[in-house]
Amino acid sequence: MDPEPTTLTRPTPQSSTIERWARDYILADSWEAKLAPPPVPSGFGDETIEPPARPGRGASFAVASHGEKSTGKSALKSAERRARLVHTFLHHELQAAELMAWAILRFADAPPALRRGILGVLGDEVRHMNLYAGYLRARGYRPGSFPVRDWFWERLPACPDVVSFLATMGLGLEGANLDHASRFAERFREAGDEEGGALEELIAREEVSHVRFALTWFARLSPRVARGEPLFDAWRASLPPPLSPILMRGEPLSRALRERAGLDAAFVDALARYKP
Ligand SMILES: [Fe+2]
Ligand SMILES: [Fe+2]
């Protein structure tokens, strides 16, 4: 049995602006603080706050340098393998939440409505984290039971502008999650884990609005879209190298959810066909 996570020994100071709150969220270094941040202040400030280059990872985290091996169908029959997988999803949600906070700081000159929207998405990701944490605790595990690798953090800070961030995080990683979560909903149910299946289905459904949000702002702000480039080409060109559409789709594609998010058939077909 591994030790309980360290608790915060000093009270978290109340952040007075959204930017300070965002910085504190990234730097908070316990799973406890990541799962239950203090209330978000009501307004943006006017000071410039550099986004932290790395997230806080204290003793309650086990950080790995390699990713988990992908999980074959039969492996999901093991409750422990399913818990490991849910822990990986929990950590994806955490990185998404942190990188939303990062974007609020890094793209401080983005339209306030866009930054507010990103803050709203961040709140959803924290809620998703808590759903996954609840699944783990009910099975004798907890956040921190398994190692994590900060893959999103190795890639996203390469985004040079908010258009690229929306392309990579919203249309890319969250878009792929529509495919992945739908597939895992089915696989958890096949393994007899109805609760895990329902959880994946719920997350997939809720991520639709995140992808729609990113698409709306990407279409509004992308100079390539303004020049009349097809959405898929504009999107692909906005991913920071070496990222490619290959990493941003699941097998099979969830056409239904992607369509509900506003991605048209031309985009989904181009994504399905894409070869490097
Ligand atoms: Fe999420
Ligand atoms: Fe999301």
Side-chain angles (χ1 to χ4, degrees):
M1 202 64 193
D2 34 14
E4 279 297 299
T6 40
T7 47
L8 287 177
T9 49
R10 54 204 142 77
T12 310
Q14 194 72 27
S15 313
S16 53
T17 64
I18 292 172
E19 287 91 341
R20 288 179 180 205
W21 182 94
R23 178 196 55 201
D24 292 350
Y25 187 71
I26 297 168
L27 293 177
D29 69 355
S30 70
W31 272 109
E32 190 187 6
K34 300 292 191 187
L35 285 156
V40 184
S42 56
F44 291 109
D46 44 22
E47 62 185 333
T48 305
I49 293 183
E50 281 296 310
R54 270 181 297 279
R57 294 286 182 264
S60 62
F61 285 85
V63 179
S65 51
H66 298 284
E68 288 269 311
K69 268 204 251 134
S70 68
T71 311
K73 235 177 199 168
S74 60
L76 282 194
K77 291 208 172 70
S78 147
E80 198 248 342
R81 285 299 307 181
R82 292 199 301 278
R84 269 181 188 276
L85 197 57
V86 164
H87 194 278
T88 300
F89 299 155
L90 162 70
H91 177 246
H92 289 167
E93 300 282 352
L94 170 62
Q95 291 178 90
E98 290 169 335
L99 286 159
M100 298 296 169
W102 175 87
I104 287 169
L105 299 176
R106 174 67 177 79
F107 309 117
D109 51 0
L114 170 54
R115 292 171 85 213
R116 286 247 171 227
I118 290 175
L119 188 61
V121 172
L122 194 170
D124 284 351
E125 311 303 12
V126 172
R127 195 164 41 77
H128 292 167
M129 287 167 67
N130 279 280
L131 293 173
Y132 283 135
Y135 175 101
L136 291 171
R137 290 193 186 105
R139 287 156 183 80
Y141 302 97
R142 58 174 172 73
S145 287
F146 303 108
V148 294
R149 187 192 149 196
D150 288 317
W151 186 83
F152 294 7
W153 270 101
E154 290 166 20
R155 292 282 182 270
L156 268 290
C159 292
D161 50 44
V162 76
V163 169
S164 169
F165 178 79
L166 292 165
T168 308
M169 179 56 94
L171 293 176
L173 297 176
E174 293 183 296
N177 203 22
L178 302 181
D179 309 331
H180 295 312
S182 304
R183 182 174 85 252
F184 279 114
E186 217 168 281
R187 285 172 58 180
F188 273 63
R189 286 194 169 114
E190 280 166 14
D193 186 344
E194 175 55 36
E195 211 181 313
L199 182 51
E200 283 307 290
E201 195 179 285
L202 175 79
I203 301 278
R205 215 168 42 230
E206 293 200 357
E207 290 295 334
V208 167
S209 65
H210 297 180
V211 177
R212 192 188 300 122
F213 166 76
L215 172 60
T216 303
W217 281 98
F218 179 80
R220 203 174 285 172
L221 299 178
S222 162
R224 291 174 180 276
V225 170
R227 285 200 295 271
E229 278 186 30
L231 180 66
F232 183 83
D233 298 345
W235 171 64
R236 193 177 57 137
S238 304
L239 301 174
L243 290 180
S244 104
I246 288 287
L247 291 166
M248 304 194 163
R249 67 183 183 201
E251 177 58 40
L253 290 182
S254 174
R255 286 182 175 265
L257 291 186
R258 283 180 176 274
E259 233 164 77
R260 258 169 54 194
L263 295 165
D264 60 15
F267 181 96
V268 179
D269 288 341
L271 178 59
R273 271 199 312 267
Y274 180 79
K275 284 196 180 69

